[in-house]
Amino acid sequence: MSSKCSVEDNSLTCFFPADTSHVEKVLQQLTYIPFLADRERVFFDLSLVLREALNNAIVHGADQDRSMEIECRVSVDSGGIDIVVVSPGHGFDWEKCLEKQLPECPTQSGWGVFLIREYTDHLVFRDQGKRLECRINLDRYQEKDRQQF
């Protein structure tokens, strides 16, 4: 199974095997979204959120089973950036994970959802944690980064 990504206007859609080696390839595709050009802070935040969401889907959702396919979609509109990541795996107890606060994360694991929650304005898990939907509102940024595309 190979990775497939397409960028159309200000949207990115990717399908790829549940292998962490594909994460950076997907993130590289963000550079082809016109709106993100010259918006370093927005690009950084989006990259951080997407990296954590993809790694979680691969490692925890699909158990790094390369026969499983991860789906991700990023779309930009005038008010923000929507991110959807879908893993075909078994899901996870997202409610328990969202209850954790920073001091309660003594290990290296568990930081992904915390960071996603901190860097997004809306976060929802569906289908027993197999589907993550989040949004970064552009009004959190300076005027330069919010300008219409």
Side-chain angles (χ1 to χ4, degrees):
M1 180 185 321
S2 62
S3 62
K4 297 171 245 165
C5 288
S6 64
V7 176
E8 194 172 305
D9 297 321
N10 281 294
S11 296
L12 167 69
T13 302
C14 292
F15 297 90
F16 60 95
D19 180 339
T20 56
S21 69
H22 290 275
V23 172
E24 292 305 316
K25 295 173 190 173
V26 171
L27 294 175
Q28 181 64 34
Q29 296 297 310
L30 293 175
T31 62
Y32 298 109
I33 296 177
F35 177 80
L36 297 174
D38 299 323
R39 290 181 171 86
E40 293 175 18
R41 176 66 194 268
V42 178
F43 186 84
F44 174 85
D45 291 357
L46 173 57
S47 297
L48 175 69
V49 168
L50 189 56
R51 179 179 287 112
E52 294 298 333
L54 293 175
N55 280 323
N56 281 350
I58 293 165
V59 174
H60 302 294
D63 292 325
Q64 299 186 62
D65 180 345
R66 293 180 178 133
S67 69
M68 292 187 177
E69 186 173 69
I70 304 298
E71 172 187 351
C72 98
R73 298 178 188 279
V74 175
S75 58
V76 180
D77 62 37
S78 62
I81 303 168
D82 292 307
I83 303 159
V84 175
V85 175
V86 180
S87 172
H90 50 75
F92 75 106
D93 186 357
W94 57 270
E95 290 174 321
K96 182 178 179 184
C97 196
L98 286 178
E99 291 173 0
K100 292 182 180 180
Q101 299 299 317
L102 181 61
E104 296 176 32
C105 295
T107 66
Q108 290 179 340
S109 181
W111 286 90
V113 172
F114 174 82
L115 288 170
I116 293 168
R117 186 177 63 196
E118 291 296 309
Y119 279 82
T120 61
D121 298 290
H122 177 74
L123 173 62
V124 175
F125 289 98
R126 300 188 192 283
D127 195 18
Q128 299 164 338
K130 294 186 239 181
R131 180 182 177 95
L132 172 146
E133 299 173 6
C134 59
R135 181 168 176 86
I136 300 172
N137 291 330
L138 294 177
D139 61 5
R140 64 173 37 221
Y141 300 100
Q142 295 177 5
E143 181 64 30
K144 171 184 148 280
D145 293 327
R146 289 189 307 217
Q147 293 174 352
Q148 296 277 335
F149 48 93

